[in-house]
Amino acid sequence: MSATLTLSRPNRKLRRQIEAVVLVLLACASGVAVLTTIGIVLSVVYESLRFFSEVPVWKFLFGTEWAPTAEPGAFGIIPLLGGTLLITLIAILVAGPLGLLSAVYLAEYANLKARRIIKPVLELLAGIPTVVLGFFAALTVAPFIRRAGEAFGLSVASESALAAGLVMGMMIVPLISSLSDDIINAVPQSLRDGSYALGATQSETIKKVVLPAALPGIVSAFILATSRAIGETMIVVMAAGLAANLTFNPLAAVTTVTVQIAALLVGDQEFDSAKTLSAFALGLILFIITLALNVVALRVVRKYREAYE
Amino acid sequence: MNSSDLTAKRRSAERRFKYYGLAAIAVTVIFLAILILDIVVKALPAFTVNQLVLPVTIDATKVDASNPAAGDFPALLKETLAKEFPDVQSRGDKKKLNALLSARAADGLQEQVASDPSLIGKTIAVPISLSSGADLHLKGFTDAQLDEKQAAWLAALKDKGFIQHGFAWSFFTQGDSREPESAGIKGALIGSILVICVTLMFALPLGVAAALYLEEFAPKNRMTDLIEVNINNLAAVPSIIFGLLGLAVFLNGFGLPRSTALVGGLVLALLVLPTIIIASRAAIRSVPPSIKEAALGVGASHMQAVFHHVLPLAVPGILTGTILGVARALGETAPLLMIGMIAFIVDVPHGFTDAATVLPVQVFLWSDLPEAAFKSRTAAAILVLLVLLFCINAVAIYLRNKFERRW
Amino acid sequence: MNDMSFQTIMTPAIPKIAAAREAKIIASAVDVHYGDKQAIKNLSISIPDRAVSAFIGPSGCGKSTFLRSINRMNDTIPGCKVTGKITLDGEDIYARNLDVVELRARIGMVFQKPNPFPKTIFENVAYGPRIHGLARDKQDMERIVVESLKKAGLFEEVKDRLTQPGTGLSGGQQQRLCIARAIAVNPEVILMDEPCSALDPIATARIEELIHELKENFCIVIVTHSMQQAARVSDLTAFFHLGVLVEVGDTDVMFTKPQDKRTQDYITGRFG
């Protein structure tokens, strides 16, 4: 037992060297995520700059006409943002109440057995590929709304914003309900007990104590859901139109940023024409909007967590 | 208002509120049920097929024994069919009669004779594909595009017992086609498998390595914070943006081949990487530190403690997270449209650099086609996709329940 | 409380056990910081070989922190900084060219809660020798495992189920398995961080008996919050209070004639 500590054993150096290499490899792997972000930013910004050298930024941001295939093309993003906003609004109006009420029921009323059945069903809905929802929106929901509208004497476009928005809303119900469920569960039981001790009913406690306490978290859930709806592509590609109408009539056809990106880049791409490059400018706008929403939502959630820790 | 009235009112408000919650869940569940039911109903016709089983005499004058594959089999079929309906004489009617058959009806016959030239001169009964309109008409779809005469001929063939109804194996064994009756999902299915293989090959090792680094080795500094924030945000970037990345970097930058499983898999790997990192970190974090301390206590290095003890115990959690990431990748469509995986591809891909398509893209492609038969094929492809996803998720849940450890 | 300086009282001036044995570990002027918080203040002690030294004191007094400084387990805690000098057989264990892994092979550790690896009993014991390359072949490894289990007094109880998971044993057996695991690496020192706090009295008695046997061959340092345990098993006792080593001396003397008032108060149960 006279082995001294500092005397080197032959395999010690080798082990240290191998471990140093492995550590570098591991660090590089975590760098890939950063590289991905850099890659996204660089590729989108680079092609966008080429686009803005042909079409002035202010014409892109404030133009009210979108006709990329015309000669000369018109590249005003306003109608696309309008369409995106309209469909997202419909989606949130559908998903907000449904998701939040489901979450309240799951967190406050449902027993363990009911939770065990309902949660997987919601997860099932969350796991359905959006191309499937798009198919359903285009071939089942849209014709149904059209027929229903006609029965009331309304003229409904065959690719109405309503159909796409409704199905998109159902898509984000699980997102809102699972996030809100977690947040409601994180509200300390002591707050509820305090309310019950004053003789409040369960619904009064939920409405007056639990939900206000959970409000920041719920707001961030809604922001995340909005971001998700804005970035969703397949449902709108299949169920919303290509015509860039600036309207707030949910029965009319509108188009969205993502639909246009897909339409411009599917098929022939010419990287020297404003038409193809405009897709990257749209991608840049989409990236900025969704990133901003995510950052805000994550920040709100973090603040909220700190408040209860 | 006295107090008992008020109490009654509060009670009913209580009940109402609870019912709102139940109603919200009911609406969601009903939506899901209608969605699935709608797809199943639409898909069912695509899983069965009506075929014509007509004894055909392989005429030696039409088929040369030395080169049987070059024989004029379509003409042979048409003649045989014409013999069944001797009273069909006008050119127009004959054309209509032949329109009952698929444009590729003679393929099966040709194949069989080519592989066994001794059949020449004999009479054989081979299943012959009907046109999709005839097939749908036989399945009871009145809006199938057949006129009265065609319908009558078809009924006659059926009465004579020449129509065979069976499971549509061809839907699973054939690639894409312009003819709905011979369009299958084999190409898309193989394409999906290839893409997922590429995705897993890149995303799993990278994700686990990144998670190990961030959870176990990374110094707690601003750089690490930045990586963490970055990963959280990347997880919420719209998938179509990853398609733009793939287009600009992998195709235009690195010059990788368009439309291939390789590029598709790479893009999806970057897409699911944040999910896998986040899940793996949670799995690694859930391994109690006492296990690592025990290893350190007997003189294991930090790296040895992590790779010998922490990682093996985190594997079930990592696998569950990875499987859920794969499920997401399997259903992803939008980014693949950007990198040209939307082309019409008949051949089944054989490698990672062959032009390929995947199931969800196939669904998208078919959903745009006008033929009624493609509608049912789209729904059927969706059903296959959903069953696949369901199985994958079931595996994940099984793994989670089986290996979940309580410390 | 007349004496609040960081000066340690020796009881008696040179403890008998320290005179009888060589000093294995010598700490001089050790400070330990967790970020801004100082956990150990100016600690100096000499720990004798082939004897049991017990660290006692109220919760948060720094006794576990100091124990973990001896095999540098504190390295794994971010923000933890150790200054001063700790030597093992005269060698500075915080020397820059020292391999912490080999240090820990020479200084084994048993933790508060039994923490067997979720592997077989055999694999639990074999892990240390395997990573250090101590066994020449399979037979040699089996010999090491069996011997270690015998030394830990566990072999008779588990000899028929060496291939079963170590996590299936009772708490006391698990802790003895952890001791066997530490012994298998052939260490010179065994650190025990409240090894009996999660065990019932019978299992505790079994471990104490084992400690008594092990001190023939090892330098044992044990942290305990039970004064009775310290009195039963140790030769040398060190009393910690608020990060300061207040008094150190032969166990029998410390428990009968403590010099410092704080030691006296603690031993007589005034605080703790």
Side-chain angles (χ1 to χ4, degrees), chain B residues 20-94:
Chain B
Y20 291 153
L22 259 183
I25 290 172
V27 168
T28 314
V29 171
I30 288 169
F31 172 82
L32 187 65
I34 291 177
L35 169 70
I36 290 175
L37 207 68
D38 180 57
I39 283 166
V40 169
V41 167
K42 283 197 173 102
L44 281 180
F47 287 116
T48 60
V49 68
N50 290 291
Q51 285 181 307
L52 188 62
V53 186
L54 208 55
V56 181
T57 305
I58 312 297
D59 191 344
T61 60
K62 287 261 183 353
V63 181
D64 183 1
S66 63
N67 186 9
D72 190 358
F73 292 97
L76 210 57
L77 273 187
K78 283 175 190 163
E79 271 170 34
T80 314
L81 189 60
K83 272 185 210 144
E84 293 296 326
F85 298 100
D87 47 336
V88 175
Q89 287 300 340
S90 79
R91 262 184 87 89
D93 281 359
K94 272 191 173 169

Side-chain angles (χ1 to χ4, degrees), chain C residues 128-144:
Chain C
R130 185 166 293 142
I131 58 171
H132 294 296
L134 296 183
R136 284 183 306 276
D137 50 30
K138 228 178 139 221
Q139 280 82 21
D140 201 26
M141 181 63 86
E142 275 167 24
R143 183 188 57 76
I144 292 176

Side-chain angles (χ1 to χ4, degrees), chain C residues 32-268:
Chain C
V32 180
H33 292 262
Y34 291 118
D36 301 332
K37 208 181 144 260
Q38 186 161 14
I40 301 274
K41 292 165 195 157
N42 191 29
L43 182 148
S44 299
I45 189 172
S46 169
I47 295 171
D49 197 6
R50 284 177 293 115
V52 178
S53 305
F55 294 172
I56 61 170
S59 307
C61 65
K63 55 192 193 295
S64 284
T65 300
F66 179 59
L67 189 77
R68 295 169 70 97
S69 306
I70 297 175
N71 69 343
R72 291 184 57 179
M73 282 299 275
N74 281 337
D75 288 14
T76 59
I77 300 166
C80 179
K81 203 167 132 255
V82 179
T83 53
K85 195 169 180 184
I86 303 177
T87 60
L88 175 66
D89 286 343
E91 283 182 74
D92 184 0
I93 66 164
Y94 282 89
R96 194 181 301 180
N97 59 349
L98 171 120
D99 190 344
V100 63
V101 164
E102 292 193 14
L103 172 75
R104 292 194 192 128
R106 287 178 64 188
I107 305 180
M109 186 160 189
V110 177
F111 297 85
Q112 192 168 356
K113 250 181 80 190
N115 56 353
F117 300 128
K119 295 185 172 185
T120 65
I121 292 170
F122 184 92
E123 281 303 318
N124 260 284
V125 182
Y127 178 71
R130 185 166 293 142
I131 58 171
H132 294 296
L134 296 183
R136 284 183 306 276
D137 50 30
K138 228 178 139 221
Q139 280 82 21
D140 201 26
M141 181 63 86
E142 275 167 24
R143 183 188 57 76
I144 292 176
V145 171
V146 169
E147 260 178 32
S148 306
L149 285 170
K150 276 183 180 159
K151 278 188 201 157
L154 187 63
F155 185 68
E156 288 304 315
E157 291 159 60
V158 300
K159 62 182 176 189
D160 304 324
R161 42 175 176 156
L162 289 178
T163 54
Q164 283 174 23
T167 43
L169 298 172
S170 75
Q173 288 173 323
Q174 285 190 14
Q175 196 60 300
R176 275 181 281 148
L177 177 62
C178 293
I179 293 174
R181 184 175 65 190
I183 294 172
V185 188
N186 211 355
E188 297 154 39
V189 180
I190 300 177
L191 307 178
M192 296 185 172
D193 189 357
E194 301 190 24
C196 302
S197 63
L199 304 182
D200 61 60
I202 295 172
T204 302
R206 188 78 192 76
I207 301 269
E208 287 178 7
E209 213 175 290
L210 179 58
I211 292 171
H212 202 74
E213 289 163 19
L214 291 172
K215 79 171 180 185
E216 299 300 320
N217 296 311
F218 301 97
C219 164
I220 294 176
V221 186
I222 177 170
V223 164
T224 176
H225 57 220
S226 150
M227 280 170 295
Q228 291 85 344
Q229 184 168 59
R232 281 193 301 264
V233 302
S234 72
D235 304 301
L236 187 84
T237 298
F239 172 65
F240 287 67
H241 186 239
L242 297 174
V244 176
L245 177 56
V246 174
E247 188 167 355
V248 60
D250 287 314
T251 301
D252 45 356
V253 184
M254 277 276 285
F255 279 91
T256 48
K257 285 183 233 123
Q259 306 275 305
D260 191 277
K261 184 158 186 306
R262 287 167 286 175
T263 318
Q264 206 174 353
D265 286 349
Y266 184 67
I267 286 169
T268 53

Side-chain angles (χ1 to χ4, degrees), chain B residues 111-170:
Chain B
E111 213 171 277
Q112 195 159 353
V113 175
S115 66
D116 183 10
S118 69
L119 293 174
I120 295 170
K122 290 180 188 158
T123 302
I124 54 171
V126 186
I128 297 156
S129 300
L130 291 168
S131 73
S132 66
D135 182 42
L136 281 181
H137 182 82
L138 284 167
K139 286 171 187 163
F141 288 84
T142 45
D143 58 344
Q145 298 117 349
L146 293 190
D147 64 15
E148 275 172 32
K149 274 186 189 166
Q150 284 176 312
W153 295 328
L154 211 51
L157 283 171
K158 192 171 184 184
D159 287 343
K160 288 180 191 169
F162 288 137
I163 301 290
Q164 197 183 54
H165 186 77
F167 188 77
W169 290 109
S170 64

Side-chain angles (χ1 to χ4, degrees), chain B residues 213-373:
Chain B
Y213 180 74
L214 292 173
E215 205 55 48
E216 288 287 343
F217 299 105
K220 299 276 169 281
N221 56 22
R222 290 191 62 173
M223 186 68 198
T224 313
D225 277 353
L226 193 77
I227 294 178
E228 219 174 313
V229 170
N230 175 56
I231 287 170
N232 287 335
N233 279 315
L234 207 54
V237 168
S239 61
I240 194 168
I241 304 270
F242 284 89
L244 292 178
L245 171 75
L247 175 58
V249 174
F250 293 140
L251 297 187
N252 292 353
F254 298 164
L256 295 177
R258 272 176 76 86
S259 311
T260 56
L262 176 66
V263 177
L266 281 175
V267 168
L268 294 184
L270 294 183
L271 181 74
V272 299
L273 189 60
T275 317
I276 293 182
I277 293 177
I278 291 168
S280 301
R281 287 188 69 171
I284 291 166
R285 208 178 304 136
S286 74
V287 177
S290 69
I291 297 291
K292 195 171 77 187
E293 283 192 334
L296 293 176
V298 294
S301 68
H302 190 181
M303 191 74 77
Q304 283 174 322
V306 168
F307 277 91
H308 292 169
H309 296 286
V310 178
L311 186 57
L313 293 174
V315 161
I318 292 173
L319 275 188
T320 309
T322 306
I323 290 172
L324 295 178
V326 162
R328 173 159 179 227
L330 193 59
E332 200 55 73
T333 319
L336 301 180
L337 302 183
M338 306 288 101
I339 52 166
M341 292 199 79
I342 191 173
F344 170 71
I345 293 154
V346 179
D347 297 324
V348 174
H350 290 291
F352 296 117
T353 51
D354 287 350
T357 190
V358 296
L359 263 181
V361 175
Q362 188 74 76
V363 167
F364 176 62
L365 281 170
W366 282 350
S367 72
D368 230 16
L369 297 172
E371 287 95 335

Side-chain angles (χ1 to χ4, degrees), chain A residues 94-112:
Chain A
V94 171
L98 284 180
L100 190 54
L101 285 170
S102 307
V104 166
Y105 186 83
L106 276 175
E108 299 284 330
Y109 288 102
N111 56 24
L112 210 64

